[in-house]
Amino acid sequence: MLDCTPKEMKQRHGAVINPAKTCQPIGAMYAALGIHSCLPHSHGSQGCCSFHRMHLSRHFREPAMASTSSFTEGASVFGGGANLKTAIKNVFSIYNPAVMAIHTTCLTETIGDDIPSIIKSAEVPEGKLVIHANTPSYQGSHITGFSNMTKGMVAYIAETASPVKKEQANIIPGFVNPGDMREIKRIVKAMGIKFIMFPDTSGVMDAPMTGKFTMYPQGGATVAQIKDSGNSKITLALGRFASSDAADALTKKCQVPAAVLKTPIGIKATDALLLSLRRTFAQEVPAELEEERGQLVDIMTDTHFHFHGKTVAIFGDPDVVTGLTEFVLSLGMVPLHILTGTPGGAMGSAVGSFEDDINELLTQAGISANVKAGGDLFTLHQWIKNQPVDLIIGNTYGKYIARAEDIPLVRVGFPVLDRSVHSYLPVVGYRGAMRLIESISGALLERADRDAADEDFELVM
Amino acid sequence: MSETTVAISEREQFIATKGRRKNSLKCDADSIAGCVSQRACVYCGARVVLNPVTDAIHLVHGPVGCASYTWDIRGSLSSGSELYRNSFCTDLREQDIIFGGEKKLAKTIDELVAKHPAKLMFVYSTCIVGVIGDDLAAVCKAAALRNNLEVIPVESSGFIGNKSAGYRAACEALLKLIAPVDRAQAAASRTINYLGDFNLAGEAWIIRDYLAQMGVQINTVFTGDSTSATLKGAANASLNIVQCAGSMNYLAAQLQELYGIPYMQVSFLGIEDTAKSLRSIAAAMGGGAIRAKAEVLIRRETDRVLPYINKFREKFIGKKAAVYVGGGFKAISLIKQFREIGIEVVMIGTQTGRREEYDTIHELVAEGTVILDDANPAELERFMTSQGAHLLVGGVKERPLAYKLGLAFIDHNHDRKHPLSGYDGAVNFAQEVYSTLCSPVWKYTAGKGGG
């Protein structure tokens, strides 16, 4: 399909060809699904809500519930206040959630609906909560939307009960799969540390089969937990792009100090998470996790020669790509092309940019590579045409390039639409690193087997 | 979920039960704010209809989301160009929203044409473009002159209606593409246009093959595996046949008005409808030899596939199906197709069905069947459960819902990999019903799937 991608690269000013990102509202919808008993609400036309639910359903293979303001031409001319008020009334009377989490769309942002005032003048039943996030589709990406809705949770729900902080951590996991969130929780639990994770889509977007459809599955962070996050001793924001804004907001609102860490993909970033927890809570790393780390190092030793010097292209969401880049470097691989569709620096945060982060990792490793934020898959494909690689790591859309250039693809990130089970199994933590090694070495060796001449084909690897 | 969750009075008129209240179903209305609707938007409707045009650049003028969600919206196959499988977008940013997106659109068109030589480009407007008021038509016209290709604006701002309005916008765009012809010459061409098949899993190719066996040539398909050149010559046909009525009836009516091409409704879902449609086409094309060839084809194919279908039929005794699909015409065909394999439809609904289609559905279904328009997941759950359905037919959003309830599921929408048209399609359909309904997985679940 992409055979027509030209090798010669020319500067583009307008066109995006084959995007490596999508828009804010879907990120906000995903984050909102990580609150227990929450119905995400899309304030805009029906299509947005429908697309986002469809995309989430395809990636997670789970129902993704969300309501919509169902805009008509009238609403777009006269404002969506009336639609939203009706929607708030209907959502509570029909679907009875504990929380309704409203996000905006490009349409409602442009006509300028003032969501807080509309919420104030709407009838919200006693004991119920309506929160919101502004998520204009023409800024940032789905990661920005996730970040904004998580920040909205802090703004509307978090509270300080007393100046003395509790011995507990807030964990903001970022835009990762429920399987990753479960793994991070397991690690923090194993450290013997009390914590609050929000948003937490485990149990919601990987719910067990019960024979019943539940609008609000067992999982998700409860309102009480998010409220209590204002009393924690520290916030660990995993992944700067998706998590640091909410952590900053919590520092400002409730004086909870924040540590911004990488998404714990690979040995180094997982070590950093454990060290940070150990430092803050004076807890020793338990034997269970020591053993896992030892196993991972053992596996890395056993397989290092599979990876050494192999070139790789990595694309996807900035926090995940940063983690993956650090990890493949630790395996001795050479990342040549690294790209995210999410633009520039983390929205609203003063520190650095995606490109700075990646270049720092590459400089330490003495590697020079193509690095780009706000890029698209057409650019990635052109890079690969000019400088081929042994492996591509990224989401489902990488399969077109992988086929055109005959390069193995390891699927990591969002969305993965054409494979299953990925959302249940972690890529984070030591266990996740083991799984990544299995996938990456599996793909490379499968390729070696397939390409081997008869006389070179053998059992020993 | 409790009963209260569906007790919204505004929705009552959209739901009927055969035998209780005749022909009282409300449809073709705006969804209610605050509902979990399964419906999509105008842009989505336009894109699904036009995207199968294989050698066109499909450029979405708007923020990136609209382009990325519809990048792979249909598995429409191509026998030639693969250009349509790229996702092109102007990726509007904040400053474009403030200062207008016309300049960026013009620049984007020029850049794309330079990279991908094409004869045709569709430029889709999204919600935001409708609001900021970019003059799509003017930019497209100027860009067309500058670059020497056809650039057709598609007026598909999301909020101007639902998916049906998008079908109409797509038809308007296609009408702009079709070149006028000398009618006397065209009527003598003795070819037909096949409207409303998007070549999912190669379905249009199956039908093309049947018609070729009858001695009838297809002029162009709207829009499965079509090209700018074949569509341009659409007015040369002497007959239009329409499969997906929801998306294409408007175009068929316009082509009759503008070029005098008569049209008829067909359906190639199930062996009954397929045979009926082939016979009507033969009759419309003058009967005689064509009719004789059609009969040979129908007999041969029916004899070939019936044993398979009957074998599956034995496995389906006592099973009940629920149907929730996009359009009314597909729903009608599915009732008949389920009947062919011995399964009763106990709940049926659509996103955008029309009054006359609901009337037909009402005639076809058994007493006690629930009929509903623009349903939400809570309603689907309630009626699938209360009606004792074992199986749901739907699209990508309904799939996990059915599975969570422990019900079998058939995708009759965008995600499927097998053709469901014609005789082989009928076998595929029965096979798919069998593989989901009779899967051992239901032994481990608490639901009714497979019974």
Side-chain angles (χ1 to χ4, degrees), chain B residues 67-111:
Chain B
S68 64
Y69 304 120
T70 49
W71 181 352
D72 59 341
I73 195 160
R74 275 195 196 273
S76 303
L77 303 188
S78 167
S79 55
S81 176
E82 297 279 335
L83 188 54
Y84 73 118
R85 301 185 75 171
N86 288 285
S87 176
F88 300 108
C89 178
T90 50
D91 187 23
L92 290 183
R93 319 299 303 170
E94 201 166 19
Q95 66 273 21
D96 306 314
I97 306 306
I98 298 164
F99 300 112
E102 292 180 7
K103 273 188 194 145
K104 192 171 192 182
L105 175 58
K107 207 182 284 173
T108 303
I109 295 173
D110 295 348
E111 284 178 2

Side-chain angles (χ1 to χ4, degrees), chain B residues 5-223:
Chain B
T5 55
V6 284
I8 172 166
S9 53
E10 291 99 321
R11 286 281 315 146
E12 278 169 12
Q13 296 160 290
F14 295 88
I15 303 164
T17 304
K18 168 139 177 185
R20 285 203 207 141
R21 222 169 24 168
K22 199 170 187 288
N23 287 351
S24 57
L25 192 78
K26 196 172 166 186
C27 61
D28 208 10
D30 291 330
S31 295
I32 295 156
C35 277
V36 179
S37 170
Q38 307 295 79
R39 275 179 175 169
C41 63
V42 181
Y43 160 71
C44 177
R47 184 72 189 257
V48 294
V49 168
L50 293 176
N51 205 59
V53 182
T54 59
D55 62 350
I57 293 174
H58 298 267
L59 171 62
V60 180
H61 186 36
V64 76
C66 302
S68 64
Y69 304 120
T70 49
W71 181 352
D72 59 341
I73 195 160
R74 275 195 196 273
S76 303
L77 303 188
S78 167
S79 55
S81 176
E82 297 279 335
L83 188 54
Y84 73 118
R85 301 185 75 171
N86 288 285
S87 176
F88 300 108
C89 178
T90 50
D91 187 23
L92 290 183
R93 319 299 303 170
E94 201 166 19
Q95 66 273 21
D96 306 314
I97 306 306
I98 298 164
F99 300 112
E102 292 180 7
K103 273 188 194 145
K104 192 171 192 182
L105 175 58
K107 207 182 284 173
T108 303
I109 295 173
D110 295 348
E111 284 178 2
L112 289 179
V113 175
K115 278 193 196 312
H116 302 279
K119 291 202 176 71
L120 173 65
M121 181 187 284
F122 290 109
V123 180
Y124 300 81
S125 71
T126 55
C127 282
I128 194 92
V129 173
V131 172
I132 63 177
D134 280 357
D135 189 346
L136 211 59
V139 176
C140 289
K141 199 172 169 188
L145 285 173
R146 203 164 55 238
N147 293 294
N148 189 31
L149 84 163
E150 251 176 300
V151 184
I152 297 184
V154 186
E155 301 292 348
S156 52
S157 284
F159 55 83
I160 57 171
N162 61 32
K163 214 168 162 182
S164 311
Y167 296 152
R168 175 132 178 191
C171 291
E172 295 288 1
L174 289 166
L175 283 165
K176 283 182 196 142
L177 178 67
I178 296 166
V181 290
D182 171 10
R183 273 312 298 162
Q185 211 180 352
S189 81
R190 312 302 297 153
T191 62
I192 65 170
N193 294 324
Y194 179 26
L195 278 62
D197 189 319
F198 304 102
N199 204 31
L200 302 191
E203 287 178 335
W205 296 335
I206 294 176
I207 306 310
R208 182 185 291 267
D209 180 48
Y210 290 162
L211 296 181
Q213 287 182 50
M214 289 160 51
V216 174
Q217 296 308 314
I218 286 185
N219 181 47
T220 189
V221 180
F222 283 93
T223 48

